[in-house]
Amino acid sequence: MALERDFEKFTGGPVITTRDRMHVTLSDTSIIYLNQNTYRLLGNPAAAALYYSRERDTIAIEPASPRIEQNFPIRPLQTGWRILAAPFLGHFGIRTDHTLKFVHPDIENGVLLLNLRDTVNVTPRRYKQKE
């Protein structure tokens, strides 16, 4: 069937559930949160080495041995996994006043790359109480 000229094709695609996509956030309390899928794609590591590229404004998370004290443990948190990254973030001066979601987290050669220029604010709104 040929469509009339006034039809526009939607190119956004379907919604992919959080369970099936990579979902990574950085909270204002210095927690890097990975959903189950991201953690699985990273290889279910017990710890991670954290890196930062000032030039790219990108955080890299590499699976690493929990026996090396410079590596950060990865622990369960609700339905995902967390890295308490305060020392790392403080060292590099990475600060946020709200929770950031990384729009396009990517895994290259087994390393998770998180671009701080490609984020959105996902902090829930706080509504004023009625008096």
Side-chain angles (χ1 to χ4, degrees), residues 3-71:
L3 294 175
E4 298 295 323
R5 291 181 185 223
D6 62 332
F7 282 94
E8 295 177 42
K9 182 177 181 179
F10 175 69
T11 59
V15 172
I16 301 172
T17 65
T18 302
R19 182 189 64 174
D20 295 331
R21 66 176 175 219
M22 292 199 323
H23 178 80
V24 183
T25 60
L26 171 61
S27 75
D28 58 348
T29 57
S30 301
I31 295 173
I32 297 173
Y33 173 84
L34 315 171
N35 73 341
Q36 265 316 356
N37 192 42
T38 305
Y39 182 70
R40 180 184 58 77
L41 292 170
L42 204 52
N44 303 316
L50 303 181
Y51 303 88
Y52 179 64
S53 167
R54 293 176 202 272
E55 187 175 314
R56 297 182 194 177
D57 203 16
T58 298
I59 295 170
I61 299 176
E62 179 182 42
S65 170
R67 294 181 181 186
I68 298 173
E69 65 182 57
Q70 294 95 338
N71 296 336

